[in-house]
Amino acid sequence: MECSVCREALSARLDGEEPPVAAAEVERHLAGCEGCRDWESRAAALSRSLRVRAVPSTPDLTASVMRSLPAPAVRRWPRVLLGAVAVVQLALGALQLVGAGGHEAMAGHVFHESTAWNLALGAGFGWAAWRVRAGAGMLPVLGAFLAVLTIVSVQDLISGVVTAGRLVSHLPLLVALALLLIIRRDHRDLHPGPGHGARPGEHTATTEDPGEPAPPRELGPTAYREAS
């Protein structure tokens, strides 16, 4: 076998192609040809250096790219309206506390509980308008309260125990529930909570206020490759 044919077969083998001659013939030629053995060694080293390289150092442009992105718009009006509802609810509770809300039929501890509840709801709405994360905890409580209140209010209205004008005082609670849902949806889409899209073992804790746009995350390479 000529050296040119042997080296062509060796080159094909290095490239993962079908050699023009049988592998056994190539090995017999290599056993007796020092020049082809040397050529194979240098060709293998060259092929390896071309195929496996260290990752070149490149500048990290993540921060500049993230800063160039427009900040997502956050609707402010639901929080402003929720703050207004908080003021109304606190005013209703204060009127009830001084006995100016038309609740003469209520007396004793039940009256005090109702007053405290209305004032607590007003304070809760105000805090949720300031810190939107607090609104998530109020949703199940307020939703359950309004569901039960609606049922008993309809029964009382049919029985003539309460007037329609008295039921109007509950409208701020319905408005507050709708606003809390809107705020929750807006900020859930803008700031996914812990565990959203996180891989197992990934740290997801955050201390940012969800009421404000979160700063860009510091991103880095997803993997490193070392040259062998």
Side-chain angles (χ1 to χ4, degrees):
M1 178 187 295
E2 295 182 357
C3 290
S4 59
V5 176
C6 179
R7 294 177 184 183
E8 182 181 354
L10 291 173
S11 177
R13 186 163 65 181
L14 288 173
D15 294 337
E17 300 174 355
E18 186 69 24
V21 295
E25 296 183 21
V26 175
E27 295 300 329
R28 282 196 299 268
H29 180 84
L30 287 175
C33 182
E34 183 178 356
C36 287
R37 289 197 302 270
D38 181 63
W39 186 93
E40 180 190 27
S41 177
R42 289 184 286 107
L46 177 60
S47 176
R48 184 176 183 81
S49 66
L50 293 176
R51 293 175 185 274
V52 182
R53 301 182 183 179
V55 177
S57 177
T58 57
D60 186 3
L61 303 178
T62 302
S64 59
V65 172
M66 295 297 290
R67 284 193 298 267
S68 66
L69 296 177
V74 180
R75 293 186 292 185
R76 299 291 183 181
W77 63 265
R79 298 175 65 186
V80 174
L81 288 182
L82 184 59
V85 172
V87 174
V88 172
Q89 188 65 26
L90 288 171
L92 290 174
L95 290 174
Q96 184 176 344
L97 185 63
V98 299
H103 308 289
E104 291 79 3
M106 299 180 61
H109 189 64
V110 175
F111 172 79
H112 296 155
E113 287 180 346
S114 175
T115 302
W117 175 248
N118 285 327
L119 291 173
L121 284 177
F125 295 156
W127 181 248
W130 178 257
R131 295 286 187 181
V132 296
R133 183 176 299 177
M138 294 193 64
L139 280 173
V141 177
L142 183 59
F145 172 71
L146 285 175
V148 177
L149 181 63
T150 299
I151 296 174
V152 297
S153 295
V154 171
Q155 293 176 347
D156 291 343
L157 186 62
I158 296 175
S159 303
V161 178
V162 69
T163 63
R166 174 69 182 91
L167 297 181
V168 172
S169 63
H170 300 318
L171 288 179
L173 300 180
L174 294 174
V175 175
L177 179 62
L179 292 173
L180 286 171
L181 289 172
I182 293 174
I183 294 171
R184 174 63 176 167
R185 183 189 62 187
D186 288 353
H187 290 272
R188 180 182 58 190
D189 295 340
L190 181 61
H191 307 288
H196 181 83
R199 293 184 295 273
E202 186 178 38
H203 182 65
T204 57
T206 179
T207 57
E208 291 88 2
D209 176 19
E212 301 298 333
R217 292 182 58 190
E218 292 295 333
L219 303 180
T222 58
Y224 294 92
R225 180 182 179 186
E226 297 181 355
S228 300

